[in-house]
Amino acid sequence: MKMNICQEESVSLGLNDKITSVSKRATCSLHGENSPYFGGWEEYRSNPYDPLLNPSGVIQMGLAENGLSFDLLERWLAEHPEAALTCKPDLFRELALYQDYHALPNFRKAMANFMEALRGNKVKFDPERIVSTAGATAANEVLMFCLADPGDVFLVPTPYYPGFDRDLRWRTSVEIVPIHCYSSNNFQITKSAVKSAYKEACNRNKNVKGILITNPSNPLGATSSAKTLKMLLAFAKEKKIHLVCDEIYSGSVFSSAQFYSIAEIVAKENYTPDNVHIVYSLSKDLGLPGFRVGAIYSYNNTVVTAARRMSSFCMVSSQTQHLLSTMLSDSKFVNYYIAENKKRLSDRHKLLVSGLDKAGIKHLEGSAGLFCWVNMSHLLPSNDLEGELKLWKRVLYGAGLNIPPGSSFNCMEPGWFRVCFADMNISTMEVALKRLQMFVETNTKPSIKLG
C-alpha cells in the first residue's frame, strides 16, 4: 500500500513504534524545522555572542528583524501612555469582551491608512476588505485554506522564504511547485519560467490554483518591476488562477528603486481583480514581530468572508489592536517614522555592503528589506549542495556567524547566502564583518602566478 509523505517520514524516523496515539500530522516533518535556516538559529541560541560575557559566541545574521527604529516606537509610547492603558472601566469592558472576527473598526481603518501611506498614498484600501490575523504566517495559511484544496499547487518563484514550506504546505496539504529564477538576470521572474513551472505542475496532473510572490523579495531584497507584475497578472487572468502578493516589506524600500504594489497595478490596469490578494504584517516595517499582527487584503468577497470566519483561530488581541490603532492613526508620527526608518535601513545597508566589498564578497544590488543576498560561491569546497552546506557549517562554527545558505531558500545555484543587517547594533556588525573578512582571507586559495 502506498504511503503519503508524512507516513513515510514517520516510518523513517522510527516514530510509529514509539508514538501510537497522535495524528500523522504531529509526526510529519513538513514544518521544515530541520532546514539549515532554522538549524543556525539553534546554534545561536545555545552560544549567543556578547561583547563582554561571550565575545567568541555566534553572531546572529540570519534573523530578518528590524530593530533600527525601535526607539521611535518607544518614544511615541512614552509620549502617549494612554494608548497602552486599558484600565478605564468603559475601555476595559469594551476590550475584554468578545470581539467581532472582523477586528475593531478603528484598527482596520488605521491599518488601511498605514498601508496607503507606505505606498505613497498612490492606492486606496477599503477597511472592510482587511482581515486581521496573528501575523503574516497565519495570513498566508488562511489564504491557502480559502483558495486551494489539499493536493492543489501554488507556483512560487525561487529563491523564496523558507517559512513558506510551513505556512503554505504543512497543515493545508497544498503543494509548492517552484518557478526557478537564476542569477544570470538577477533572479528576476520571467514569463518563460512561469510557463515552465505551470507546465511541470500540469504534467504531474496537479491542479494549479495560483502564484504567490514576495514583493519586495525575501531573500533578494529587490522589488518587482511594474512590467513583471503586469505579466503575472495577465498570466493569472489567462489561466484563471489566483495571484497572492506578500508585501510584508513594502515599507522597507530604502533606495531610489521604485516599489509597485499589486494594488497600484490593478488600479492602473482598470482590472476587476477578484483573483488578487495581498498579505501584510507589522512585523518588518514597524519592527513588531512579537505583537503578531498580520492582515489579508482581498478583492474577492467570498475570500474576505471565509478568511474572516477563519480568523477566529488566529485573532489579534483587542488590547494590541487598541494600542496600534492609536499609534497608526497619528499621521504625523507615521510619516516621520516611515521616512526615518527608510533612512536608517539605507545607512545600515551601506555599512554592510562596504564590509562585504572589503571582504571581496559580491552581492545582488539591493533596494529593500532587512537583508542582502550575497554570492560566496568562490569559497565553495565543491560546486554543489554538499559543498554549500560544508561552507555554511564552516561559517557558522568556524567564524561564529549564522548566515543561512541559499539552498534553504530553494535557490538552484550553490553559493548564495542571505545576510541580515537590521537586528544588531553597529559595533556588533563591525565585529561580524571583521570575522567575515578574516574567514574569506583564510579560506581563499591563492592564485598561481605563471612565469
Side-chain angles (χ1 to χ4, degrees), residues 126-239:
D126 181 0
E128 294 301 312
R129 293 194 171 279
I130 289 181
V131 179
S132 175
T133 63
T137 291
N140 278 312
E141 186 184 61
V142 167
L143 269 180
M144 291 302 106
F145 270 104
C146 293
L147 302 181
D149 293 312
D152 286 347
V153 160
F154 259 77
L155 311 179
V156 183
T158 64
Y160 63 76
Y161 166 55
F164 281 159
D165 289 317
R166 169 200 63 204
D167 303 353
L168 310 186
R169 301 172 58 207
W170 186 31
R171 298 197 300 180
T172 66
S173 295
V174 170
E175 297 183 24
I176 292 176
V177 170
I179 300 172
H180 291 302
C181 304
Y182 300 92
S183 62
S184 56
N185 70 340
N186 293 326
F187 297 98
Q188 294 179 43
I189 307 169
T190 64
K191 188 173 183 179
S192 61
V194 176
K195 284 184 174 181
S196 178
Y198 185 88
K199 183 178 180 180
E200 178 190 340
C202 292
N203 289 341
R204 289 165 48 187
N205 294 320
K206 294 295 182 179
N207 182 30
V208 179
K209 292 305 295 283
I211 301 170
L212 183 146
I213 69 167
T214 55
N215 181 35
S217 168
N218 175 11
L220 300 179
T223 58
S224 297
S225 67
K227 181 180 179 181
T228 297
L229 293 174
K230 289 177 183 178
M231 178 272 291
L232 293 171
L233 193 60
F235 187 88
K237 182 179 181 181
E238 175 193 344
K239 300 298 184 182

Side-chain angles (χ1 to χ4, degrees), residues 356 361-362 374-380 391 395 403 414-417 419 436 439-440:
L356 293 173
I361 297 177
K362 297 180 180 179
V374 305
N375 185 356
M376 295 199 287
S377 59
H378 62 297
L379 301 174
L380 291 174
L391 177 58
V395 173
I403 302 177
W416 289 89
F417 290 73
V419 180
L436 189 57
F439 177 84
V440 173

Side-chain angles (χ1 to χ4, degrees), residues 57-134:
V58 175
I59 296 177
Q60 173 67 288
M61 302 187 84
L63 181 61
E65 188 169 278
N66 183 9
L68 300 183
S69 300
F70 207 78
D71 62 303
L72 302 182
L73 304 179
E74 291 175 321
R75 188 189 311 163
W76 183 91
L77 191 58
E79 295 172 353
H80 300 81
E82 72 282 356
L85 295 177
T86 58
C87 55
K88 296 179 180 179
D90 55 341
L91 183 58
F92 177 78
R93 175 177 290 274
E94 178 186 351
L95 299 179
L97 300 180
Y98 277 116
Q99 301 294 331
D100 190 295
Y101 294 156
H102 208 174
L104 299 174
N106 288 342
F107 177 68
R108 283 185 281 113
K109 183 179 179 181
M111 280 290 288
N113 291 339
F114 185 61
M115 291 169 66
E116 291 172 2
L118 292 177
R119 293 156 180 78
N121 293 305
K122 296 177 182 178
V123 294
K124 289 292 183 181
F125 290 106
D126 181 0
E128 294 301 312
R129 293 194 171 279
I130 289 181
V131 179
S132 175
T133 63

